[in-house]
Amino acid sequence: MVNVFLWVVGILLAFQLILLLGLIIWKTRTLAKEKILGAEVDRLMPAYREYIKASRSEQPKLSANAKLQAAAIERTLDQLMSEADAEHEKKKVMELADQNLSAYYRNVLKKGKWADRINTLYFIEDFRMASLQDDVFRHFKKLRKQDEEYRQCLRSAAVLQDSKVIDVLLANQTLSTGFIKEILFRLKPSLLVDLSRRLAVNDKATENLLFAFITINGEQKNELFFPFVENLMLDNRLEVRIKAMKSLCNYEKLQDPSKLSGFFKSANWEERMYAAKLTGACRLNGFTESLVELFSDPVWWVRFSAAENIYELDNGAGMLKRIGATSKDAYARDIANHMLTRKGGKSQ
C-alpha cells in the first residue's frame, strides 16, 4: 500500500516538474520573441516617424520574416496613429497600414485563429483600411454566431462606410439598442440619410433600431434629422413618442410647439413628464399655465419635472414662490417648496 502511495506521489511530482519545465520553456521563448519584436519596433519607429513628417523620402527596410514584419509595423503604426495630431499625419499612417498590412490582414481573415481575426478586425477599424471593405464583409457573411467577432466585423464595416451594414441593421431582429448606436456613430451622414428613408417606409424594422437612430440624433443634435425626430412625436406607438420627446430635449427646440400641447393631458404619465421636460428645455413660455397644472399631477415624477423645468421659464423662481405660498393643492405646495430649497431659495 505504501509503495503504491509513493508511486502516485512520484508520478504527480514528475508531472508537475514536466509542466513547470514546459511553462519555463514557453515563457523563455515568448520573452525572446517579444525582445526581438521590441528591438524591431525601436528600429522602425524613428524612421517611420521621419517618413510621416516628410523629413525622410523612403520607408525603412523591413524584416524578411513576414510574421515579425507584420507585428512590428502594426505596433509601430498603432503608436504613431495615437501620437498623430494633424489630419494629414493620420492619413499618412493609414496609407502606410494599407500598403504594408492589407495582404497580411486579408490572409488572417481567411486562415487565422479566432483571437488573431479579432485583433485584425480592430486594427482594420483603427487604420480605416478601405481597401479591405469587401474582405471584411465577405468574412462577416461566413460567420454563424453573433459573438464578438460578428460585432467587430460590423463595427469595422461601418467605419469603412460599407452601405451593406444598413441592410444588416434592418434585417437583424436581435441587435441591442446600445450596439446599434455604436454602429450608427461610425456611419457618415449619407448612409444615415439612406437609413432614415428606409425606416420611414419599413414597418418591419425593429424598435431597437428606431430607438437607437432617434437617440443618437438627439445626443449629437444632428440638425439633418431634426424634422424626422420631431415628426415621431405624433407616432402611434407610445414608446416611439417617448423616445422622440426625450431626444428633442437634447435638441432643446421644437419647430412646431403646438405638437406638444396635447401631451400635458396624456393618460400616460411618461408623456406628461416629458411634456414638462420639453417645455423647460425649449423654454416655451406659452405653456407656463399647462406646466403649473402639472404641479398637482398624481404622479410624483411629473410634479418634480414640472417644478424643475418651470425654473427655465421667465420668472420661474417667482412662480415657484407663488405656488408654494398660495396654492390650494398640497401636492403643488410641497413640490414647489421642495424645488425652491433644492435650487438654493427659501421655501415659504
Side-chain angles (χ1 to χ4, degrees):
M1 189 70 179
V2 174
N3 288 336
V4 173
F5 175 75
L6 291 174
W7 270 104
V8 171
V9 171
I11 292 170
L12 289 175
L13 181 60
F15 176 76
Q16 288 180 333
L17 288 173
I18 292 170
L19 182 61
L20 179 61
L21 181 61
L23 287 172
I24 292 172
I25 293 172
W26 173 81
K27 187 65 175 179
T28 301
R29 289 179 177 176
T30 300
L31 290 174
K33 289 178 181 178
E34 184 61 29
K35 187 176 181 180
I36 294 171
L37 176 58
E40 183 67 3
V41 171
D42 290 341
R43 182 182 73 84
L44 293 176
M45 188 68 71
Y48 271 119
R49 190 174 281 123
E50 291 174 3
Y51 182 79
I52 288 169
K53 294 186 179 297
S55 57
R56 178 188 178 108
S57 58
E58 295 181 354
Q59 294 186 46
K61 186 176 180 181
L62 302 175
S63 170
N65 184 320
K67 195 166 185 179
L68 174 62
Q69 172 184 311
I73 293 176
E74 186 178 77
R75 186 176 295 186
T76 302
L77 296 183
D78 185 46
Q79 183 173 330
L80 290 172
M81 179 66 88
S82 65
E83 292 177 0
D85 294 322
E87 197 60 38
H88 72 274
E89 291 180 354
K90 293 180 180 180
K91 187 176 180 182
K92 201 76 173 284
V93 174
M94 290 188 282
E95 289 173 355
L96 286 169
D98 201 49
Q99 293 168 18
N100 294 290
L101 293 170
S102 57
Y104 175 74
Y105 284 167
R106 193 173 284 116
N107 187 58
V108 172
L109 289 179
K110 289 179 180 178
K111 303 176 183 178
K113 296 179 181 178
W114 186 87
D116 294 330
R117 297 197 305 269
I118 289 286
N119 286 334
T120 290
L121 288 166
Y122 277 113
F123 279 115
I124 289 172
E125 177 180 1
D126 289 344
F127 293 138
R128 306 290 198 273
M129 298 177 71
S131 65
L132 295 178
Q133 183 187 99
D134 291 340
D135 299 274
V136 169
F137 205 81
R138 193 178 299 118
H139 180 65
F140 172 78
K141 295 294 286 184
K142 295 177 182 177
L143 300 177
R144 295 293 173 263
K145 291 193 299 182
Q146 291 192 29
D147 58 1
E148 181 57 25
E149 185 174 14
Y150 178 98
R151 290 186 290 274
Q152 186 53 41
C153 256
L154 274 183
R155 293 188 193 102
S156 300
V159 162
L160 301 181
Q161 306 306 317
D162 193 329
S163 61
K164 294 186 289 297
V165 170
I166 301 296
D167 298 327
V168 176
L169 294 180
L170 288 165
N172 192 315
Q173 303 289 306
T174 63
L175 298 178
S176 70
T177 301
F179 176 69
I180 295 171
K181 283 177 63 179
E182 289 185 49
I183 300 302
L184 298 182
F185 274 126
R186 290 165 165 78
L187 296 177
K188 61 185 180 181
S190 61
L191 290 180
L192 293 176
V193 168
D194 178 45
L195 175 59
S196 68
R197 289 171 180 164
R198 295 174 70 175
L199 282 173
V201 298
N202 187 349
D203 57 3
K204 293 182 180 179
T206 66
E207 285 192 344
N208 282 356
L209 175 56
L210 184 57
F211 292 167
F213 187 70
I214 294 170
T215 302
I216 67 156
N217 285 313
E219 290 175 353
Q220 295 180 324
K221 296 187 178 182
N222 194 330
E223 290 297 322
L224 185 61
F225 300 105
F226 172 76
F228 179 90
V229 176
E230 187 180 42
N231 286 336
L232 289 176
M233 279 180 66
L234 303 181
D235 193 88
N236 59 1
R237 292 163 291 183
L238 171 63
E239 286 299 322
V240 174
R241 295 197 301 272
I242 291 172
K243 291 290 183 183
M245 294 173 76
K246 185 176 181 180
S247 185
L248 289 167
C249 287
N250 290 322
Y251 275 108
E252 298 181 323
K253 70 172 187 176
L254 278 175
Q255 192 68 35
D256 182 7
S258 65
K259 290 180 179 178
L260 187 60
S261 58
F263 290 101
F264 292 96
K265 301 289 186 181
S266 171
N268 184 275
W269 71 266
E270 289 100 331
E271 289 186 309
R272 300 196 302 275
M273 179 182 71
Y274 275 107
K277 288 178 178 288
L278 259 176
T279 299
C282 303
R283 293 171 174 78
L284 301 174
N285 290 294
F287 290 115
T288 299
E289 289 306 314
S290 297
L291 206 57
V292 170
E293 289 178 12
L294 293 183
F295 277 63
S296 300
D297 196 276
V299 178
W300 185 87
W301 286 109
V302 179
R303 299 196 300 274
F304 180 85
S305 294
E308 184 177 46
N309 285 278
I310 204 168
Y311 226 88
E312 303 299 326
L313 305 185
D314 294 346
N315 194 31
M319 284 187 283
L320 282 174
K321 290 178 181 178
R322 177 176 60 82
I323 295 168
T326 65
S327 178
K328 296 179 180 179
D329 187 283
Y331 283 155
R333 292 195 304 273
D334 285 347
I335 198 64
N337 289 327
H338 169 78
M339 192 56 60
L340 279 169
T341 304
R342 189 170 180 265
K343 295 291 186 181
K346 293 181 180 179
S347 62
Q348 300 297 314

